[in-house]
Amino acid sequence: MGSLEGKVTLVTGASRGIGKGIAIGLGEEGATVYITGRSLDSSNVTEGVSGSLRETQLAVQDAGGICIPVMVDHSDDQQVRLLFERIQDEQKGQLDLLVNNAFSGVQALKEGYEKPFWECVDNLWDAVNDVGLRSHYIASVFAARLMIQRQQGLICTISSWGGMSYIFGAAYGAGKAACDRLAADMAVELKPYNVASLSIWPGIVGTEHISSLALQMGEDKPRNQQSQVISQGYNWETPLLTGRVIAALAADRTVMRFTGRVRVVAELAEHYGLFDKDGLRPVSLRSLRFIAPMFWPLLIKYASLIPNINIPWFLLLWGILQSPKI
């Protein structure tokens, strides 16, 4: 019997990538998983990339879960409203977990790669932060209305290290920092109702898009050590690791101790004793085991000998990371 059997969960943006991995991770533990996306099957795939809700549904069912695909464009509030009304009717008001993962800005980010914000298309902000920030708020509104009635629930908002340091530009960084703040402030208002809200930071996840971008980085910057280490796939995670971590959070009866905080996938995996799809456990991006080879690539072959010690946040902010200074 899985730890999430009888639990009702929702993962937005689950046609592919991290969302698909999260849905499978929940399915492994026997959850009922609603998944959303704009591509129900291969006949209506968008953005020219593979992946559909039907494919994710089959993968979740193979893992042991119950999967219900729903076509939703998260830029349309009415479609989101109807989604939650359906969950309310079909599950008698039960929703134990919402994972805010929908994101529609990948193509815009790729087109603006290494361009300053003033040279990017005028709608870059909306492309990155309409479905990817605003949509998370709207979904959380509807989810909270269900969860507070039952005095329990968990909302996980997928964010990234871009909320603390420059990665893909101004629009992306502002959006991810806002996701972190959204999760934290929702936690304040949800705490009296025993509903937790967390911001989740995966590491370098080998999705279709990231793999393509890493290859491009390696070709464009052959002399850049960091780009070469990343393009080699060092310390990459698969989407399933994020899924297994969120499944563990959803099954944790003491999850309220984490509410309002940013949690790193690799660090939670170590906390819960979880491993990735390949049986390995990647380290946190603030671990000495990751940081040292980034600056001295020759250390990759000796990575297992480097202590897995997480650098304190205040030291990272003082040095490597570029978070705003007060």
Side-chain angles (χ1 to χ4, degrees), residues 1-292:
M1 179 176 177
S3 63
L4 297 182
E5 191 165 330
K7 298 291 187 180
V8 179
T9 65
L10 167 62
V11 184
T12 69
S15 299
R16 61 186 69 87
I18 292 180
K20 181 177 181 179
I22 294 170
I24 295 171
L26 297 174
E28 286 182 339
E29 295 301 324
T32 295
V33 190
Y34 282 82
I35 57 173
T36 69
R38 292 177 293 170
S39 305
L40 185 61
D41 52 45
S42 57
S43 65
N44 58 358
V45 168
T46 59
E47 297 183 356
V49 293
S50 62
S52 68
L53 292 174
R54 291 296 188 201
E55 292 176 15
T56 300
Q57 180 186 24
L58 292 174
V60 173
Q61 292 172 344
D62 287 345
I66 300 170
C67 190
I68 304 170
V70 186
M71 278 188 67
V72 175
D73 181 346
H74 280 270
S75 67
D76 185 336
D77 293 354
Q78 180 62 14
Q79 291 188 38
V80 178
R81 181 188 298 275
L82 292 174
L83 164 68
F84 282 90
E85 288 180 356
R86 175 176 174 177
I87 294 173
Q88 181 174 19
D89 292 342
E90 293 180 353
Q91 304 299 331
K92 299 179 180 180
Q94 179 182 351
L95 179 63
D96 300 287
L97 167 68
L98 164 66
V99 181
N100 285 316
N101 175 71
F103 186 71
S104 63
V106 171
Q107 187 60 37
L109 289 175
K110 290 178 67 175
E111 292 173 356
Y113 176 62
E114 293 213 313
K115 293 181 181 179
F117 68 89
W118 60 88
E119 292 184 6
C120 295
V121 293
D122 294 341
N123 67 339
L124 176 63
W125 177 274
D126 292 335
V128 172
N129 293 322
D130 183 10
V131 177
L133 173 57
R134 183 184 182 279
S135 65
H136 295 346
Y137 174 78
I138 298 300
S140 297
V141 167
F142 291 116
R145 292 173 181 173
L146 297 178
M147 292 176 177
I148 63 173
Q149 297 299 319
R150 302 179 69 246
Q151 297 280 298
Q152 65 179 38
L154 169 63
I155 298 175
C156 290
T157 298
I158 303 301
S159 185
S160 90
W161 297 76
M164 184 176 285
S165 184
Y166 184 91
I167 298 181
F168 294 126
Y172 179 85
K176 293 309 178 184
C179 283
D180 297 337
R181 188 59 192 239
L182 174 66
D185 286 1
M186 289 194 304
V188 174
E189 299 177 8
L190 289 169
K191 189 173 184 179
Y193 301 94
N194 194 41
V195 176
S197 171
L198 286 73
S199 185
I200 304 296
W201 286 8
I204 304 173
V205 184
T207 63
E208 301 90 339
H209 291 300
I210 293 300
S211 297
S212 175
L213 181 59
L215 180 61
Q216 182 179 345
M217 289 172 60
E219 294 175 349
D220 293 348
K221 300 180 179 180
R223 296 183 180 180
N224 183 285
Q225 293 183 338
Q226 284 76 25
S227 295
Q228 291 304 309
V229 171
I230 291 174
S231 65
Q232 292 173 26
Y234 175 65
N235 199 61
W236 281 26
E237 302 169 5
T238 76
L240 182 59
L241 185 63
T242 301
R244 287 175 173 170
V245 160
I246 291 179
L249 286 168
D252 189 343
R253 295 182 179 179
T254 65
V255 71
M256 286 299 296
R257 62 186 162 153
F258 294 140
T259 193
R261 299 170 62 184
V262 167
R263 302 299 298 179
V264 177
V265 166
E267 294 173 24
L268 284 172
E270 184 174 8
H271 172 76
Y272 288 116
L274 302 172
F275 293 89
D276 206 341
K277 184 178 181 179
D278 52 12
L280 301 177
R281 182 186 293 155
V283 298
S284 172
L285 299 192
R286 66 185 181 112
S287 170
L288 184 63
R289 186 176 295 174
F290 174 77
I291 293 175

